[in-house]
Amino acid sequence: ILNVEQSPQSLHVQEGDSTNFTCSFPSSNFYALHWYRWETAKSPEALFVMTLNGDEKKKGRISATLNTKEGYSYLYIKGSQPEDSATYLCAFVSGAGSYQLTFGKGTKLSVIP
Amino acid sequence: NAGVTQTPKFRILKIGQSMTLQCAQDMNHNYMYWYRQDPGMGLKLIYYSVGAGITDKGEVPNGYNVSRSTTEDFPLRLELAAPSQTSVYFCASSYFDNSNQPQHFGDGTRLSIL
């Protein structure tokens, strides 16, 4: 069973603050790393799919970096807004086995107006 | 474009009953997946399919069955419902494998077994 850890479990930030959280995954047999945004009562939506060490992807105020050698990815949100409140999921794809996603438990972000 | 459609949205079953959770996608995606989401846990893969006529077990397949007779549909069947199967079930699809293709999720089915 692959171990994918996300930290922190939850955090509260003030509107306008920038924040970041971490996804840790096995540093061997890396194939891909996915980030999803999951709002309450909705379905998870894809943010990024990252495949190369050193990758940096950006979508508006949200960006992500990837370090496959040490097994971590950071998700950054610049100038948090209340609509950013959601659970952010990462999912690791191993190149050994069935190439399926192993999800972390998520980081729940609450942005206080 | 409807994307991934799951029905029903909610269901309550008695122990021992059976039911089928429906999933359909209209994006012509080859890959389809069923996950369950339990409180405090990450999404767990139940079954997946890489194309019509091909299915395979995920991490937690016990108590479930699937079929994939068409590209569009991927139903999940519970034969003898047990309380441990109380969960939120998500269906997802992707065009190709997970290397650089994101998964598209349905809105989920909340299932309670009493």
Side-chain angles (χ1 to χ4, degrees):
Chain A
I1 295 179
L2 299 169
N3 196 27
V4 180
E5 299 284 343
Q6 290 188 249
S7 61
Q9 270 190 312
S10 65
L11 73 161
H12 294 78
V13 301
Q14 290 290 137
E15 182 176 352
D17 286 351
S18 294
T19 187
N20 65 87
F21 21 94
T22 307
C23 173
S24 301
F25 49 85
S27 55
S28 58
N29 295 309
F30 176 87
Y31 196 70
L33 194 282
H34 293 220
W35 280 101
Y36 291 85
R37 180 173 177 274
W38 191 1
E39 287 182 74
T40 302
K42 294 188 177 181
S43 54
E45 289 184 10
L47 286 172
F48 308 113
V49 179
M50 308 178 83
T51 57
L52 297 174
N53 184 43
D55 242 357
E56 183 167 345
K57 300 216 171 184
K58 190 173 180 182
K59 194 175 197 176
R61 293 179 291 98
I62 303 177
S63 60
T65 61
L66 179 68
N67 184 326
T68 62
K69 297 191 184 310
E70 294 183 43
Y72 64 84
S73 175
Y74 293 138
L75 191 80
Y76 300 91
I77 302 178
K78 185 177 177 182
S80 302
Q81 299 297 309
E83 57 266 30
D84 296 327
S85 297
T87 297
Y88 291 84
L89 302 173
C90 72
F92 171 73
V93 184
S94 170
S98 63
Y99 293 85
Q100 298 310 314
L101 270 62
T102 299
F103 282 87
K105 295 179 183 178
T107 292
K108 185 172 183 179
L109 173 67
S110 300
V111 181
I112 304 162
Chain B
N1 194 343
V4 179
T5 303
Q6 289 185 237
T7 55
K9 293 194 184 306
F10 306 95
R11 184 75 185 268
I12 299 174
L13 282 182
K14 293 183 180 178
I15 295 171
Q17 286 186 319
S18 61
M19 79 162 292
T20 299
L21 281 65
Q22 302 291 344
C23 175
Q25 54 89 11
D26 61 0
M27 297 174 281
N28 202 29
H29 284 174
N30 298 310
Y31 285 55
M32 296 188 75
Y33 315 84
W34 274 106
Y35 295 93
R36 59 178 287 172
Q37 167 75 49
D38 299 312
M41 304 294 289
L43 288 161
K44 300 288 186 186
L45 183 65
I46 305 171
Y47 270 95
Y48 66 100
S49 169
V50 302
I54 307 169
T55 62
D56 211 342
K57 295 177 181 179
E59 186 181 350
V60 290
N62 290 346
Y64 307 95
N65 279 303
V66 292
S67 59
R68 183 96 182 269
S69 55
T70 67
T71 299
E72 293 78 21
D73 300 299
F74 190 40
L76 177 73
R77 184 150 180 89
L78 283 71
E79 290 292 351
L80 288 170
S84 60
Q85 292 177 305
T86 294
S87 189
V88 182
Y89 291 84
F90 286 95
C91 178
S93 70
S94 63
Y95 181 64
F96 197 49
D97 65 21
N98 292 311
S99 59
N100 61 2
Q101 298 295 319
Q103 293 189 6
H104 299 259
F105 286 82
D107 289 338
T109 294
R110 187 174 295 274
L111 181 63
S112 295
I113 315 294
L114 304 175

